[in-house]
Amino acid sequence: MTPEEVVRRLESGMTLGIGGWGSRRKPMALVRALLRSDVTDLTVVAYGGPDVGLLLAAGKVRRLVTAFVTLDSIPLEPHFRAARERGGLDLVELDEAMFLQGLTAAAQRLPFLPVRAGLGSDVLRVNPHLRTVLSPYEDGEELVAVPALRMDAALVHLNRADRLGNGQYLGPDPYFDDLFCEAADTAYVSCEHLVDFGAPTGSPADAPLPRAAPQTLLVSRHSVTGVTETPGGAHFTSCVPDYGRDEPFQKAYATAAASPDGWARFHDRFLSGSEEDYHQAVRTWHKEQR
């Protein structure tokens, strides 16, 4: 599929999961395609980064379920900060372990999973919809019952994938992308390179595929609806080992987000055209910085 074909499968009002973590291996090409669409009123479920920030800036998010929204080297995503300061954002902010249990429950088709995380904290106070349960065994321990984070669709970005939907990560962390795919009714994988995992050694089809352990084959085809090849599709977030985070550009993004005029200029230059236009504008910007 193309990113545009993926986005045409999405509808306003959906619950949309976005894989990756903070400013790491986010499906940014798919997010940028979503920005160019008329899809809105989304409930977004993510370990948030600039994906969430861009969708908030575009007014496409009605409700956000997250454990954080960060750019990693910049602790708080600026558009998320602005949305919180303005008020009106329907936010469900969970502990990271609670968020993971919610994804796991949805992937396993369970209504909830118990977890100790959140007990004794303000997570329960600011999320009054959360409930606790008692262990049915002799310990009788009280635990938080984290509801399943079931999604209509999920978007993830991986280093490699094949046409059937099998996806491979080559960096240091899977970022729970497999759970996002399994917890959603439909899931779309963007990748740096489309390869043939079954091709014989030395054939051109598997040339981009480095030697890697079998467990790096993270996403299985049974949980994937469509695949799109998007080289540089995680930019400006990292997609190690293919490329690291574009720190200078991320800083420019955060600086631009600090003012309406700055953001309007940034948007017009980088986000008003196609994905190819975006990458060309980024290359030109980097030349200007030398």
Side-chain angles (χ1 to χ4, degrees):
M1 305 177 74
T2 65
E4 288 72 24
E5 288 171 335
V6 170
V7 170
R8 282 199 290 271
R9 298 283 190 96
L10 306 181
E11 299 177 3
S12 294
M14 274 187 164
T15 296
L16 179 67
I18 305 178
W21 178 282
S23 194
R24 309 175 209 182
R25 215 177 67 230
K26 285 290 183 174
M28 298 300 289
L30 293 177
V31 171
R32 287 187 285 267
L34 187 55
L35 294 177
R36 297 189 293 270
S37 77
D38 59 0
V39 174
T40 189
D41 195 37
L42 294 170
T43 294
V44 174
V45 179
Y47 286 108
D51 52 330
V52 171
L54 284 169
L55 294 174
L56 284 170
K60 292 183 176 292
V61 180
R62 177 182 61 82
R63 187 170 187 253
L64 176 62
V65 183
T66 189
F68 52 74
V69 185
T70 180
L71 300 180
D72 292 318
S73 58
I74 298 172
L76 195 60
E77 209 287 337
H79 291 302
F80 173 72
R81 179 197 294 272
R84 291 290 287 146
E85 290 176 347
R86 286 194 305 269
L89 174 63
D90 185 357
L91 176 66
V92 178
E93 192 170 19
L94 301 175
D95 172 272
E96 291 175 21
M98 297 171 74
F99 192 98
L100 171 58
Q101 287 293 79
L103 289 178
T104 304
Q108 296 181 359
R109 306 301 194 271
L110 297 172
F112 72 92
L113 278 175
V115 66
R116 290 192 179 92
L119 291 170
S121 77
D122 279 345
V123 172
L124 296 181
R125 180 183 62 81
V126 300
N127 291 289
H129 67 281
L130 292 177
R131 300 289 184 265
T132 60
V133 293
L134 294 178
S135 168
Y137 299 104
E138 291 181 2
D139 59 276
E141 184 177 0
E142 184 180 33
L143 299 165
V144 179
V146 182
L149 295 178
R150 192 71 199 167
M151 296 161 281
D152 297 305
L155 309 176
V156 304
H157 186 78
L158 294 166
N159 299 89
R160 307 289 185 266
D162 67 15
R163 294 179 183 276
L164 298 177
N166 300 297
Q168 181 182 44
Y169 79 103
L170 299 172
D173 200 306
Y175 304 133
F176 310 114
D177 285 353
D178 52 337
L179 291 181
F180 274 96
C181 292
E182 292 168 10
D185 294 338
T186 58
Y188 302 93
V189 174
S190 61
C191 66
E192 292 296 316
H193 296 289
L194 200 62
V195 300
D196 181 359
F197 289 125
T201 302
S203 72
D206 69 346
L209 185 62
R211 294 184 182 277
Q215 60 265 32
T216 63
L217 290 168
L218 178 68
V219 172
S220 300
R221 62 189 184 186
H222 74 271
S223 62
V224 174
T225 309
V227 180
T228 179
E229 187 177 37
T230 59
H235 185 273
F236 54 90
T237 72
S238 63
C239 189
V240 176
D242 293 307
Y243 48 86
R245 184 163 53 241
D246 189 340
E247 292 287 359
F249 190 79
Q250 176 169 274
K251 184 177 180 181
Y253 164 86
T255 300
S259 71
D261 290 343
W263 182 247
R265 290 191 295 270
F266 184 96
H267 183 279
D268 289 346
R269 181 169 186 180
F270 298 107
L271 300 173
S272 59
S274 66
E275 183 69 7
E276 182 179 351
D277 293 333
Y278 169 80
H279 287 287
Q280 181 57 54
V282 171
R283 287 191 292 269
T284 301
W285 180 86
H286 273 291
K287 289 179 181 178
E288 295 170 355
Q289 307 307 305
R290 293 171 187 165

